[in-house]
């Protein structure tokens, strides 16, 4: 059976980890024409169709963009198209993983992070019967990852480095397609896997795994933003007012998701943004913590840059503080004080869903029309091309 394994060159790990073209120096589409009020005629928002993108779906369906006086066009893309399209100005905004952007920004990608959306997403897991009790026990072991440069790889590399291991020397990395991770673990082809939701929950149910590193639970990661709002650098420079407006709409959407997670999961499925069942999407969404914020996001950016440097994921000459400063932009009207003053409706039946047990989770997975779609809902497949169209 083809596990799609690939053992990377150890010497190239830091470069492969999210290597991107230096696309921020020009080219691409011109920014949208401004209206008389200073706002754009239309803002292009890129999306992938992931569970964690709930806040942008909510912002659209609840009219938060219109409240800000902007017209938004949703454009579906893939991971590479998202990153490069933002740098080229083909898209104006999105929210995505901070770790996914830092290496490309280091190499010249012209994008700006503007606010924090949610924590969570990523984890490292081992079989229940494994002698591995902590990340430190993974020294000399083999870890299966969706792709080199994927967010699960980046998170696990950071977490290993924080425990004193050298992720380029002390562990072996092999690429395993997410849908084959269960088999790879059962056959002993890998000692651990790094993944995101809903894959982590599915493996817990199907393969009897346990988690040894969890971005949603473990310190210091539990309070760190996984995903943040991001705008094209060209867009921010030409129309900072519009950049602030779309950021505010997305952050308000994040607050609504935090208040009404079950309703947000239903909306994403019923409006066909996400190919899933409501139960499975709600379970995966429940693993995340939506907490719109500004100051803490800036701190998360600093922390991620420092730890990526320690893990060898950034160039030796890179100053993490300078990189974080270059990646961030303050926008008028986007502040923690503004967020604190926000009010969103609380739906009577919109609150958290009951956590699915193993049987319930397996039943929810079985009801997905295209079973392959469950592997396209998380942050696993950050590079490459497969049935997710990435």
């Amino acid at each position: 059976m083809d596990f799609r394994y690939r053992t990377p060159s150890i010497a190239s790990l830091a470069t492969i980890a999210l290597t991107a073209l230096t696309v921020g120096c020009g080219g691409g589409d011109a920014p949208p024409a401004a209206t008389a009020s200073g706002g754009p005629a239309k803002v292009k928002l890129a999306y992938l169709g992931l569970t964690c993108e709930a806040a942008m779906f909510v912002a659209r369906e609840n009219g938060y963009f219109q409240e800000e006086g902007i017209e938004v066009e949703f454009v579906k893309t893939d991971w590479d198209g998202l990153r490069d399209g933002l740098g080229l100005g083909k898209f104006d905004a999105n929210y995505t993983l901070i770790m996914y952007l830092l290496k490309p920004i280091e190499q010249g990608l012209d994008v700006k992070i503007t606010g924090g959306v949610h924590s969570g997403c990523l984890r490292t897991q081992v079989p229940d019967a494994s002698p591995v009790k902590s990340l430190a026990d993974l020294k000399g072991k083999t870890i299966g990852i969706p792709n080199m440069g994927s967010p699960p790889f980046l998170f696990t590399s950071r977490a290993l480095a924080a425990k004193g291991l050298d992720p380029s020397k002390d562990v072996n990395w092999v690429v395993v397609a997410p849908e084959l991770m269960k088999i790879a673990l059962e056959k002993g082809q890998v000692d651990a896997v790094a993944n995101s939701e809903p894959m982590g929950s599915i493996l817990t149910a199907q393969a009897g795994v346990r988690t040894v590193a969890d971005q949603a639970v473990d310190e210091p990661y539990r309070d760190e933003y996984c995903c943040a709002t991001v705008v094209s650098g060209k867009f921010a420079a030409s129309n900072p007012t519009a950049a602030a407006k779309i950021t505010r709409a997305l952050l308000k959407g994040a607050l609504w998701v935090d208040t009404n997670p079950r309703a947000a999961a239903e909306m994403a499925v019923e409006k066909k943004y996400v190919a899933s069942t409501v139960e499975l999407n709600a379970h995966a969404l429940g693993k995340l913590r939506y907490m719109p914020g500004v100051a803490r996001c800036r701190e998360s950016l600093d922390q991620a840059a420092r730890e990526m440097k320690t893990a060898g994921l950034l160039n030796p000459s890179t100053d993490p503080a300078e990189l974080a400063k270059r990646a961030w932009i303050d926008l008028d009207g986007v502040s923690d004080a503004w967020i604190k003053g926000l009010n969103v409706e609380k739906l009577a039946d919109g609150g958290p869903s009951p956590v699915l047990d193993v049987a319930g989770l397996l039943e929810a997975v079985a009801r997905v029309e295209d079973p392959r779609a469950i592997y396209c809902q998380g942050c696993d497949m950050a590079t490459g091309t497969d049935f997710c169209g990435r």
Side-chain angles (χ1 to χ4, degrees):
M1 181 172 291
D2 178 13
F3 286 89
R4 285 185 250 174
Y5 284 174
R6 177 170 62 86
T7 303
S9 167
I10 296 298
S12 64
L13 276 175
T15 301
I16 300 175
L18 277 182
T19 298
L21 295 174
T22 304
V23 296
C25 300
D29 297 342
T35 65
S37 63
K42 183 175 289 187
V43 174
K44 290 187 177 181
L45 185 73
Y47 79 105
L48 302 171
L50 308 180
T51 291
C52 75
E53 292 177 322
M56 67 177 73
F57 308 146
V58 164
R60 185 189 201 185
E61 297 298 328
N62 285 359
Y64 296 159
F65 298 120
Q66 291 90 328
E67 288 179 7
E68 289 285 348
I70 53 176
E71 181 183 355
V72 171
E73 176 187 359
F74 270 49
V75 182
K76 193 166 187 180
T77 185
D78 58 22
W79 280 98
D80 290 341
L82 167 67
R83 180 194 61 214
D84 297 344
L86 284 167
L88 288 166
K90 292 181 178 179
F91 305 123
D92 301 309
N94 176 258
Y95 67 75
T96 191
L97 295 102
I98 289 174
M99 286 186 291
Y100 184 62
L101 295 176
L102 280 175
K103 182 67 178 180
I105 291 173
E106 177 195 55
Q107 296 182 329
L109 187 77
D110 186 18
V111 300
K112 300 295 182 182
I113 295 170
T114 61
V117 178
H118 69 79
S119 65
C121 281
L122 308 170
R123 53 198 45 83
T124 312
Q125 298 177 309
V126 298
D128 275 335
S130 171
V132 172
K133 303 300 181 184
S134 70
L135 284 173
D137 297 330
L138 286 174
K139 186 172 183 177
K141 305 294 187 182
T142 298
I143 305 174
I145 51 173
N147 274 294
M148 296 306 301
S150 64
F153 164 75
L154 297 174
F155 169 67
T156 300
S157 294
R158 285 179 56 191
L160 288 169
K163 296 298 183 181
L165 275 66
D166 184 339
S168 69
K169 297 177 181 178
D170 291 336
V171 298
N172 303 308
W173 303 97
V174 294
V175 173
V176 185
E179 72 273 21
L180 297 177
M181 284 185 173
K182 172 179 179 290
I183 298 174
L185 286 168
E186 291 174 345
K187 290 184 174 293
Q189 300 286 348
V190 296
D191 301 294
V193 292
N195 55 52
S196 69
E197 283 300 319
M199 194 64 221
S201 291
I202 292 169
L203 283 178
T204 300
Q206 291 182 334
V209 301
R210 53 186 168 80
T211 299
V212 293
D214 192 330
Q215 191 186 31
V217 175
D218 299 344
E219 296 287 358
Y221 309 109
R222 67 181 307 273
D223 293 323
E224 176 185 308
Y225 283 98
C226 174
C227 284
T229 51
V230 57
V231 297
S232 160
K234 180 183 295 186
F235 178 57
S238 66
N239 205 327
T241 298
K245 288 180 176 182
I246 198 163
T247 298
R248 286 195 297 267
L250 291 172
L251 294 182
K252 186 174 182 179
L255 181 61
W256 196 92
V257 175
D258 178 60
T259 307
N260 303 285
R262 170 73 183 188
E266 288 182 3
M267 179 187 295
V269 172
E270 292 173 0
K271 297 293 183 177
K272 301 191 182 302
Y273 291 110
V274 174
S276 184
T277 65
V278 170
E279 291 76 18
L280 181 58
N281 198 42
H283 181 87
L285 197 61
K287 296 288 186 176
L288 310 178
R289 185 157 61 107
Y290 283 77
M291 47 182 195
V294 178
R296 186 186 292 179
C297 184
R298 185 65 177 82
E299 293 169 1
S300 295
L301 190 53
D302 286 329
Q303 179 174 311
R306 287 195 306 270
E307 292 196 6
M308 286 181 69
K309 173 72 177 289
T310 300
L313 299 171
L314 300 175
N315 292 335
S317 61
T318 293
D319 180 345
E322 188 281 329
L323 175 61
K325 182 179 180 180
R326 178 154 49 96
W328 179 265
I329 187 172
D330 288 310
L331 297 171
D332 287 344
V334 179
S335 67
D336 289 322
W338 169 78
I339 293 170
K340 188 175 180 180
L342 280 177
N343 290 300
V344 296
E345 63 183 333
K346 184 174 184 178
L347 303 181
D349 56 352
S353 295
V355 176
L356 295 176
D357 59 15
V358 171
L361 185 57
L362 291 175
E363 183 181 349
V365 171
R367 287 203 301 271
V368 177
E369 291 185 10
D370 181 356
R372 300 177 304 173
I374 61 177
Y375 304 108
C376 306
Q377 293 171 42
C379 304
D380 299 74
M381 299 304 295
T383 57
T385 303
D386 64 356
F387 52 75
C388 302
R390 302 173 191 165

